[in-house]
Amino acid sequence: MSGGAIRRPWELHHGDALEVLATLPDASVDSVVTDPPYAHVKRPYGYWTEEEWFALMKPVVREVRRILKPQGSAVFIIQPNSEKIGRLRPWVFDFVSWCCREWNVVRDAYWWNYTAIPSAGCDRENGLLRPSIKLCVWVGEPDCYRNQDAILWSESEHNAAQRATTRAAQREPCPSGYRRDRFKMASTALERGGVVPFNVFPIPNCHGNGSHSGNGHEAATPLLLCRKWVRYLTPPGGVALDPFCGAGATGEAAILDGFRFIGIDRHAPYLASARERLERAARQSVLVME
Ligand SMILES: C[S@@+](CC[C@H](N)C(=O)[O-])C[C@H]1O[C@@H](n2cnc3c(N)ncnc32)[C@H](O)[C@@H]1O
């Protein structure tokens, strides 16, 4: 099912991820950014045991590998959960180690939701730490496409002050034994227009149930996180795909930055929200371009 009479830069498919992926040609997609369902989390769209989750995800990862171009790569956003307080489930870690062996994990990367509320499993009685990190399991070939310049961080005041107060070529020893040139380090940000990003994206999750930013999806992914990954992994004019696209956060990210998008979800109401959202994003990106 595609966008309509006017040729849209997106396709939305209603159906099961695996069945629809099987219809897509080999080496036809540049990047995959997806927030799939999680094992042992009850949602209106389903519930999966660890075994059922792997039965869904392993074939999906293999199909994703087939349809990605040789330099394409994929990110699966997942969060650990517990069997009971104090006993973590292994599925997230099993998935990472399976991806390492089955294909390749390019770099470990994380989303830090620094607005996570101190509720689930971290109250005063049990004294546990507040869960706020999701893994962004990044799989692809070691030399897969990535554009670090597209996601540089803004320079901190500290870095700018270092540059202003440090003499050129001032080398000093680090605890590791290496000698580092503070001036050179502080100048790189200026030369490049930003700071090399960390493998942790600190991004607030401001999607309350039914909130506008979630576009009607109760497990929505922050647009900002999707924008980082889509920009980082998709070459100019490329195609991004989300096989569990829900209300279309990855799609909006792709359209706003001038990429094409393919989305799949088996729940029609989410796709209806995604369609509206992509139309809005397309109008917005035209406004930005003008
Ligand atoms: C965490 S949500 C994705 C949220 C989305 N990133 C957003 O911001 O709206 C996971 C989605 O996977 C979809 N889903 C679950 N099993 C599926 C399957 N077998 N095939 C396609 N979609 C599926 C659900 O309907 C749900 O919308």
Side-chain angles (χ1 to χ4, degrees), residues 15-18 34-38 45 48 56 214 217 219-222 226 242-250 264-267 270 277:
D16 175 70
L18 198 55
T34 192
D35 187 0
Y38 299 168
Y45 50 80
W48 290 257
L56 169 71
H217 200 295
T221 316
C226 295
D242 184 348
F244 302 100
C245 81
T250 298
I264 307 167
D265 204 286
R266 64 178 189 177
H267 286 262
Y270 296 145
R277 184 176 189 176

Side-chain angles (χ1 to χ4, degrees), residues 79 111-119 122 130-133 203-205:
Q79 182 171 28
W111 162 31
W112 177 33
N113 169 19
Y114 58 83
T115 57
I117 48 169
S119 59
C122 60
R130 187 188 315 185
S132 62
I133 290 277
I203 290 176
N205 191 2

Side-chain angles (χ1 to χ4, degrees), residues 256-269:
L256 286 176
D257 282 327
F259 303 111
R260 284 169 291 148
F261 175 67
I262 302 173
I264 307 167
D265 204 286
R266 64 178 189 177
H267 286 262

Side-chain angles (χ1 to χ4, degrees), residues 31-105:
S31 64
V32 172
V33 175
T34 192
D35 187 0
Y38 299 168
H40 292 283
V41 176
K42 279 199 189 102
R43 291 287 186 196
Y45 50 80
Y47 179 85
W48 290 257
T49 62
E50 288 183 61
E51 295 70 28
E52 289 162 346
W53 189 83
F54 277 103
L56 169 71
M57 292 304 292
K58 285 185 178 178
V60 164
V61 172
R62 291 184 177 126
E63 276 298 286
V64 158
R65 188 174 189 181
R66 179 186 64 76
I67 63 167
L68 276 172
K69 294 179 184 171
Q71 277 215 298
S73 65
V75 171
F76 297 88
I77 302 163
I78 48 178
Q79 182 171 28
N81 52 21
S82 297
E83 184 186 325
K84 60 177 198 171
I85 288 171
R87 185 185 296 279
L88 213 54
R89 292 186 188 275
W91 63 277
V92 163
F93 310 99
D94 286 346
F95 181 67
V96 176
S97 90
W98 178 79
C99 287
C100 286
R101 289 191 312 273
E102 173 81 11
W103 187 352
N104 177 57
V105 172

